[in-house]
Amino acid sequence: MRRQGAYDADSIPSFADLADASTADRAALLTPLVARVRRATRRYDAALPDVHVLRAMRCTPEERKGLIDGYDGRTVAMKRALAGMCATLPDENADLCPYCSLDQNPDLDHVLPKAVFPEFALYAPNLVPICTVCNRKKLNVVRSAGDRVLLNPAFEPSVDEPIVEAQVAYRGGQVVVTYRLDDHGQLPVEERGVARRHFARLGLAGRYRKRAHGYLAALKTNLRNRSGEVREAALRTKLEGAALFAPLNGWEPALFRAIEDDVPAMLTWLTPR
Ligand SMILES: [Zn+2]
């Protein structure tokens, strides 16, 4: 999970531009909606990041279908406009899903789902490139008991501090990594609640644990025929590199911070018996 930053404002295609770039049939449905959709998007911008409080625009079944089909049946010109917008996200880790920072981001998620809020089906700030696993786990969920469920990666987490923590334990020759969220009081209270729901909804504790276990198993295999000195040097290099290149609140820096707490224990585990 990480704050990815926002699209460059000049790159965001307007609803009218996207309607023009649609097929002639859909453009005929979408163009009369431009003024209403523009008003809805002003409400969206004013509510950010708490867009879960918005009510859906009233529209006829035909208008709803036109808006959803406009997205689902994107023309090459529309895809190009949206891809150009996505390409303006900051380069650092831009190819990683911001919801999890685990995998690449081939899907465009609708923050407010298009089935409920078709007026934002083509609204660029409502579209976030994410991974398929997060997309599947999120489904159409926006809120839980009135509270927002997911962080908005354009703004959040709002502090540049580690809020994902790992613990490494050694049990019977196995290494067991567990993850949890702990912001050490750094996040605003409401955002802390959103971060916890985000972490739980997307199953990040389990997904991070699996990734860490796979990583450590591969590391152990790669280092099994090396001397103790080489093994330690390799581990130290990894400890330094994780902090430099991986997203701050991904699985990797949290794992390496936990390993740093007891490097000898990790070296013992990495040493073949
Ligand atoms: Zn993801």
Side-chain angles (χ1 to χ4, degrees):
M1 51 200 291
R2 71 179 193 286
R3 183 172 74 243
Q4 175 173 250
Y7 303 116
D8 178 72
D10 293 338
S11 75
I12 296 175
S14 70
F15 181 80
D17 290 341
L18 291 172
D20 281 349
S22 186
T23 61
D25 287 358
R26 290 195 193 105
L29 271 170
L30 297 177
T31 303
L33 296 175
V34 166
R36 283 167 62 202
V37 169
R38 191 180 296 141
R39 284 196 293 277
T41 58
R42 284 200 200 108
R43 290 196 295 275
Y44 188 103
D45 291 347
L48 275 170
D50 288 318
V51 292
H52 66 290
V53 301
L54 294 175
R55 291 225 183 130
M57 183 176 94
R58 294 172 77 158
C59 51
T60 66
E62 291 74 27
E63 290 169 341
R64 165 181 298 274
K65 187 171 182 314
L67 286 162
I68 293 175
D69 286 355
Y71 178 81
D72 287 343
R74 279 163 289 170
T75 59
V76 171
M78 289 171 84
K79 285 181 182 169
R80 195 175 292 141
L82 293 173
M85 172 187 82
C86 292
T88 70
L89 288 170
D91 279 344
E92 196 179 14
N93 302 306
D95 61 337
L96 280 186
C97 169
Y99 284 174
C100 63
S101 294
L102 275 170
D103 296 312
Q104 295 207 312
N105 50 4
D107 298 353
L108 264 186
D109 175 49
H110 287 86
V111 174
L112 293 182
K114 62 183 186 299
V116 186
F117 295 89
E119 65 272 35
F120 303 126
L122 288 165
Y123 186 45
N126 193 48
L127 302 173
V128 180
I130 69 168
C131 76
T132 306
V133 178
C134 284
N135 208 2
R136 204 175 58 229
K137 286 185 177 287
K138 183 208 169 204
L139 295 174
N140 280 349
V141 169
V142 174
R143 53 186 174 179
S144 168
D147 295 318
R148 182 155 55 99
V149 172
L150 294 179
L151 295 168
N152 185 317
F155 314 95
E156 299 167 330
S158 61
V159 296
D160 293 321
E161 300 291 339
I163 61 171
V164 172
E165 291 217 331
Q167 281 197 319
V168 180
Y170 303 89
R171 291 177 201 146
Q174 301 292 313
V175 67
V176 179
V177 185
T178 49
Y179 283 88
R180 66 186 185 121
L181 210 57
D182 187 348
D183 71 306
H184 301 280
Q186 305 267 4
L187 290 177
V189 173
E190 286 190 6
E191 190 181 325
R192 180 179 307 142
V194 182
R196 285 183 180 152
R197 288 185 288 279
H198 179 112
F199 196 75
R201 175 80 203 180
L202 300 178
L204 294 181
R207 292 166 67 195
Y208 287 177
R209 182 179 64 236
K210 256 190 205 164
R211 188 64 60 94
H213 285 177
Y215 174 84
L216 290 173
L219 182 65
K220 185 167 182 166
T221 302
N222 289 342
L223 295 176
R224 68 175 177 259
N225 295 325
R226 306 301 174 93
S227 69
E229 290 76 30
V230 170
R231 201 175 293 121
E232 177 164 0
L235 182 61
R236 298 254 177 228
T237 303
K238 302 236 176 248
L239 288 170
E240 285 156 22
L244 287 177
F245 304 114
L248 175 67
N249 283 303
W251 65 277
E252 206 171 355
L255 171 65
F256 282 107
R257 282 194 303 276
I259 291 172
E260 256 173 5
D261 287 345
D262 193 348
V263 172
M266 176 54 69
L267 287 171
T268 301
W269 180 76
L270 286 171
T271 305
R273 292 169 184 248

